[in-house]
Amino acid sequence: MNDTPSAHRPSSSQPPANESECAVDVVIVGGGPSGCGAGISTARYGLETLVFDRGNASLRQCAYLENFLGFPGGIDVPTFYDLMHDHVSSAGGEVIADRVCDVTAIDSGFRVDTDDDRTITAPFVVATSSYDGGYLRGLDDDTELFETHCHDGETHEHFDSEYVREQGRTPIDGLYVAGGLAGHGEQALIAAGHGMTVGRALLEDVRRADGWWDEVAPHYDWRRRTESFQHDFDDTEALHELFDATRLPDDHNIDDSVHERVRATAIELFTNSHIDRDTVDQRIAEGYDRLVAQLDQSQLLERIDDDVIERYVRESDQ
Ligand SMILES: Cc1cc2nc3c(=O)[nH]c(=O)nc-3n(C[C@H](O)[C@H](O)[C@H](O)COP(=O)(O)OP(=O)(O)OC[C@H]3O[C@@H](n4cnc5c(N)ncnc54)[C@H](O)[C@@H]3O)c2cc1C
């Protein structure tokens, strides 16, 4: 369901273990609520996104998740994990069951090493592994990155959430922190929302680095009804006028080529964010398919009225 212009689309697929090196746009460490919230943002925008998920998890300790929005009867944690990970995949990202053990700074951003001998390079890393920040050691002074405290006579060291700035940014260019690790892990929904906030901050930084200005830098991942737009999507001149009237500051000194490039991409994103009734119907069907695929089939059948099943079988036979 990704309508991002081709310039932002991912170009390569999941690296197998032992492949010497692979480059992506974003590596997310942790596939819990915050990591998946961040991953859905960046992948849907078209940044090539890998989510690594293995190791100590907060949510996996929850007996049964009863207060996540949208599940009025609650949901068991393994099914919730399957749904989150499938959502990252449907957004265009990849979830890999592997543990990140080291992140090092390199000229182009970061080199990420995993327990299963994967090596990935990426300009952006989002750390969302609520309890484990040890792989960040060496990126800055230890006294800045970590705090120590005594518990039962033993000294423990933890990533210091005060290292994190607003919207998950950090003093290190390209490094972001979300969810429990950033001090936003009180509830799963809060962590997921923070993850998406951090993903959006990353996208805003990518756009600003590309010349996008205040009025256009934040990205809104919205789906709009085609019929709600009063203009003709094929009338390029009218769309240019509309953009310049609403998104260009009065006394700007934006370079012409930057103006034209940003305008073209922004209009393409805006156009693609509109979907017509047929597409909505198609996506509703695909949404059900995807949801049902993650649910236990026999549990589902048990809950459907026998008469409904009988009628369905009879009509299918006919
Ligand atoms: C006992 C318990 C019960 C809870 N019950 C509820 C509840 O009922 N409702 C509620 O809203 N919240 C509950 N919470 C809180 C909830 O779990 C957190 O708010 C939420 O999980 C935080 O999300 P997160 O993504 O930041 O971290 P996590 O959920 O911890 O996810 C981090 C992910 O990163 C992975 N990981 C860790 N290290 C690495 C590494 N080095 N490389 C790759 N991956 C790594 C882990 O496997 C994990 O999947 C509970 C917490 C606990 C401890």
Side-chain angles (χ1 to χ4, degrees):
M1 310 293 169
N2 191 320
D3 302 310
T4 305
S6 53
H8 297 286
R9 301 286 300 134
S11 54
S12 75
S13 59
Q14 174 173 330
N18 303 321
E19 184 173 293
S20 58
E21 199 167 297
C22 160
V24 299
D25 297 317
V26 185
V27 167
I28 296 182
V29 187
S34 59
C36 293
I40 287 164
S41 292
T42 57
R44 278 177 62 86
Y45 192 70
L47 298 186
E48 196 174 354
T49 300
L50 284 187
V51 178
F52 286 107
D53 187 55
R54 188 193 283 166
N56 205 358
S58 170
L59 190 58
R60 290 200 196 272
Q61 298 173 54
C62 170
Y64 184 68
L65 184 58
E66 293 179 338
N67 55 354
F68 202 93
L69 194 67
F71 298 98
I75 182 158
D76 65 284
V77 172
T79 303
F80 185 65
Y81 253 94
D82 288 346
L83 285 165
M84 288 195 297
H85 288 183
D86 192 42
H87 201 161
V88 173
S89 304
S90 76
E94 303 271 2
V95 181
I96 303 175
D98 194 358
R99 184 182 156 275
V100 169
C101 53
D102 196 25
V103 175
T104 6
I106 56 171
D107 285 347
S108 60
F110 302 95
R111 177 193 146 118
V112 177
D113 290 292
T114 73
D115 279 357
D116 291 351
D117 292 334
R118 290 182 172 90
T119 296
I120 318 290
T121 61
F124 301 104
V125 166
V126 187
T128 76
S129 46
S130 55
Y131 300 127
D132 176 16
Y135 53 84
L136 298 171
R137 194 176 298 283
L139 288 179
D140 200 346
D141 216 65
D142 273 8
T143 54
E144 297 290 324
L145 284 170
F146 301 99
E147 55 169 354
T148 50
H149 67 92
C150 281
H151 186 64
D152 283 345
E154 282 183 32
T155 307
H156 297 269
E157 194 178 54
H158 294 287
F159 176 77
D160 187 353
S161 60
E162 288 188 10
Y163 189 73
V164 184
R165 308 288 190 260
E166 40 71 62
Q167 299 184 321
R169 295 182 178 92
T170 70
I172 300 170
D173 259 2
L175 176 70
Y176 300 76
V177 184
L181 198 61
H184 296 276
E186 302 92 335
Q187 303 281 177
L189 188 55
I190 293 173
H194 189 247
M196 188 161 272
T197 299
V198 174
R200 283 192 79 232
L202 189 160
L203 296 180
E204 182 173 334
D205 295 346
V206 166
R207 283 154 71 120
R208 285 190 187 279
D210 189 40
W212 296 52
W213 52 94
D214 285 353
E215 284 77 358
V216 284
H219 174 58
Y220 292 85
D221 185 1
W222 292 4
R223 284 292 165 264
R224 303 164 170 95
R225 294 192 177 97
T226 302
E227 62 272 21
S228 69
F229 189 55
Q230 309 297 327
H231 302 263
D232 177 359
F233 286 111
D234 294 325
D235 188 345
T236 310
E237 207 175 310
L239 292 177
H240 283 186
E241 272 174 27
L242 185 65
F243 178 90
D244 290 351
T246 56
R247 295 287 181 266
L248 207 54
D250 286 341
D251 53 349
H252 70 88
N253 58 352
I254 298 161
D255 184 81
D256 281 351
S257 64
V258 173
H259 169 207
E260 278 164 31
R261 179 168 46 76
V262 168
R263 184 173 63 186
T265 309
I267 288 176
E268 195 179 349
L269 280 167
F270 179 73
T271 303
N272 290 347
S273 77
H274 290 78
I275 47 179
D276 61 22
R277 190 63 238 177
D278 288 347
T279 311
V280 171
D281 288 343
Q282 188 189 329
R283 291 194 182 177
I284 289 172
E286 286 166 3
Y288 272 108
D289 286 347
R290 203 113 193 175
L291 186 58
V292 169
Q294 295 302 329
L295 303 176
D296 185 297
Q297 306 288 300
S298 50
Q299 294 264 14
L300 265 182
L301 279 173
E302 201 139 295
R303 279 154 186 84
I304 300 172
D305 197 310
D306 286 350
D307 291 344
V308 174
I309 296 177
E310 232 172 83
R311 199 174 332 121
Y312 178 78
V313 171
R314 214 178 316 118
E315 284 170 9
S316 303
D317 280 352
Q318 281 166 11

